[in-house]
Each structure stands twice: as C-alpha cells, then as structure tokens.
C-alpha cells in the first residue's frame, strides 16, 4: 500500500515579510520560528497514529529549518531526513533559488543530501530545464516527486515544501505558512485524495478554495531564457 503523505509548507521566512524576493535562500523569520513551535506541538498529537518512516525536505534553508524545529521529535525517534530537489519552489527568483549543496551539508549535517540532483540549484540553463519556471516542467516535476514516494515502503511520509509548488504543481490547495494537509494516493496512479480533516489545513489556517493544477504558471514557450 502506498504511504500516506503529510505535506507541510515551510514557516514564514524573511522573504515573506514585505515581499523581499531579492533575498537569496532566506532563513525563517522570528514569526516563522514561533510558527514551528506551534506546528510541532500540534503534529505530536495529530500524527501520533501515523507510522512516519521518512521526512523529505526541499533543499532550501527555510524548509530544512522548519523540519528541524517542527519534526525533531520524529528525528529523535530515528526517522531519517532526506533532501530532494524535486520539492523546491517554482520560480528562479533569488528567494526561490537554493544554496550550493556543499554549504548546506556543512550547515545541516543531520540531513541526507544524497538524493539531490547534481544540477541543483540551477533552474535556468539547459541542464536545469527540469526545474525551469514553466508549466510543463513544474507539473512534470510534481508527478516525478509523487512517483518517487508512491513506491516507497514507509506507511507515512512527511514532506516539507513550498506553497506555490504544492498548490500549482500538485494539489490545487492553498497552504498557509507552517500549515499542512494529509493525502492518500487514490487508485493505481498518482492522484491524491485529501483527508477531510485537513480541507482548511491541519491547523485550520489555509484557504479552503482550490485552483486548477498548472494555473498561474507560464507556458513553456512564453518563458524567456534566464527568467
């Protein structure tokens, strides 16, 4: 049976404050640190009946920090944390472009970065085209991310990722900072069925409205080189 997926958006980061999108790979804000503590206490109860066997993080500082602060109790119980470039955010703005893996390995030794594509954090060259900011690449990447997890043996996997990617590329659902949703794989494919209890987010902070997957992402042939 495929694993249950717990999809978490990172807590508030510095670029979320007054839209400072020029900040490269920003850290969590003071508010974000507090949100992690709230999420931590909630998840310790909400996930107690799920046998979480793996934590996957986007290899960006804000997602890794959110995982470490909110899921340390799972890590202390031996649940491994792996980074995957498939779960990074959509755009190629500085705030959505990651840091060199060598830096992150030194900063976060508790995370396994062996899954991360060697091209990371490139999104703009031909080599990084799979991570480009266009509809085909993002929706395709989301399918790869789900396919990678669907075949795993764990009963439940927790993922810490980004609102834009999870909404526009994968689920159609909005995610508030440090809120989460729980999904099951539906049928034999990569379709997802959300738990009714999380339709407004597990913390009740996210919009209930949904969007069409792919909506708001430019078509491939309309994206200028280096965008």
């Amino acid at each position: 049976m495929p694993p249950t997926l717990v999809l978490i958006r990172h807590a508030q980061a510095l670029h979320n404050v007054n839209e400072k999108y020029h900040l490269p790979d920003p850290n969590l804000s003071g508010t974000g640190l507090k949100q992690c503590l709230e999420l931590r206490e909630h998840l310790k109860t909400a996930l107690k009946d799920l046998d979480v066997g793996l934590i996957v993080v986007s290899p960006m500082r804000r997602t890794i920090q959110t995982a470490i602060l909110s899921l340390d109790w799972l890590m202390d119980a031996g649940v491994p944390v792996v980074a995957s470039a498939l779960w990074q955010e959509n755009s190629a703005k500085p705030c959505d472009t990651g840091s060199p893996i060598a830096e992150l390995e030194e900063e976060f030794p508790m995370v396994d970065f062996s899954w991360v594509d060697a091209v990371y954090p490139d999104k703009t060259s031909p080599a990084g085209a799979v991570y480009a900011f266009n509809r085909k690449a993002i929706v395709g990447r989301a399918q790869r991310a789900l396919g990678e997890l669907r075949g795993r043996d764990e009963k439940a996997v927790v993922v810490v990722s980004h609102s834009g990617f999870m909404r526009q590329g994968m689920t159609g659902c909005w995610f508030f900072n440090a809120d989460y949703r729980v999904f099951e794989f539906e049928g034999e494919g990569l379709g997802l069925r959300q738990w009714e209890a999380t339709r407004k987010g597990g913390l009740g902070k996210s919009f209930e409205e949904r969007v069409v997957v792919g909506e708001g992402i430019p078509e491939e042939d309309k994206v200028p080189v280096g965008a």
Side-chain angles (χ1 to χ4, degrees):
M1 177 178 293
T4 298
L5 301 184
V6 181
L7 304 185
I8 301 173
R9 181 191 179 188
H10 63 82
Q12 186 192 76
L14 294 173
H15 74 296
N16 297 133
V17 182
N18 299 322
E19 300 181 347
K20 297 176 182 177
Y21 301 136
H22 64 283
L23 296 175
D25 196 9
N27 292 306
L28 295 181
S29 67
T31 295
L33 297 177
K34 295 177 182 177
Q35 289 173 336
C36 286
L37 297 180
E38 178 187 12
L39 178 63
R40 179 182 188 272
E41 292 310 305
H42 176 89
L43 291 179
K44 287 174 70 176
T45 298
L47 303 186
K48 63 182 177 62
D49 293 329
L50 288 181
D51 184 7
V52 176
L54 182 69
I55 299 167
V56 179
V57 295
S58 159
M60 303 192 76
R61 286 193 169 88
R62 59 188 183 270
T63 43
I64 297 171
Q65 290 167 350
T66 298
I68 291 171
L69 292 172
S70 303
L71 304 171
D72 62 313
W73 51 282
L74 287 174
M75 296 166 63
D76 289 345
V79 178
V81 184
V82 298
S84 170
L86 294 174
W87 291 91
Q88 65 183 296
E89 186 56 298
N90 294 344
S91 87
K93 295 176 182 177
C95 64
D96 292 335
T97 301
S99 303
I101 291 301
E103 292 182 13
L104 298 176
E105 286 177 326
E106 184 173 350
E107 190 171 347
F108 304 107
M110 68 291 292
V111 177
D112 178 0
F113 291 94
S114 64
W115 284 20
V116 179
D117 191 337
V119 75
Y120 185 84
D122 176 25
K123 295 183 179 183
T124 58
S125 77
V130 68
Y131 305 110
F133 182 46
N134 65 69
R135 188 176 305 172
K136 179 180 178 182
I138 291 169
V139 173
R141 174 158 62 88
Q143 290 293 288
R144 285 181 58 196
L146 290 175
E148 192 172 69
L149 296 184
R150 195 189 196 288
R152 297 209 46 102
D153 295 331
E154 292 86 3
K155 293 182 179 178
V157 176
V158 177
V159 181
V160 184
S161 185
H162 306 265
S163 179
F165 176 64
M166 294 191 292
R167 179 180 72 255
Q168 295 175 297
M170 184 176 291
T171 70
C173 298
W174 294 85
F175 290 76
F176 189 78
N177 284 123
D179 206 354
Y180 73 97
R181 297 176 183 275
V182 182
F183 297 87
E184 305 282 356
F185 283 99
E186 194 167 29
E188 298 301 318
L190 299 177
L192 296 175
R193 181 181 65 255
Q194 184 175 190
W195 283 15
E196 178 65 20
T198 66
R199 63 187 176 86
K200 294 183 179 180
L203 292 177
K205 297 183 177 183
S206 301
F207 297 138
E208 187 175 358
E209 296 79 10
R210 300 186 65 163
V211 303
V212 176
V213 170
E215 183 175 284
I217 307 174
E219 294 286 356
E220 185 175 20
D221 59 1
K222 295 181 180 180
V223 181
V225 175

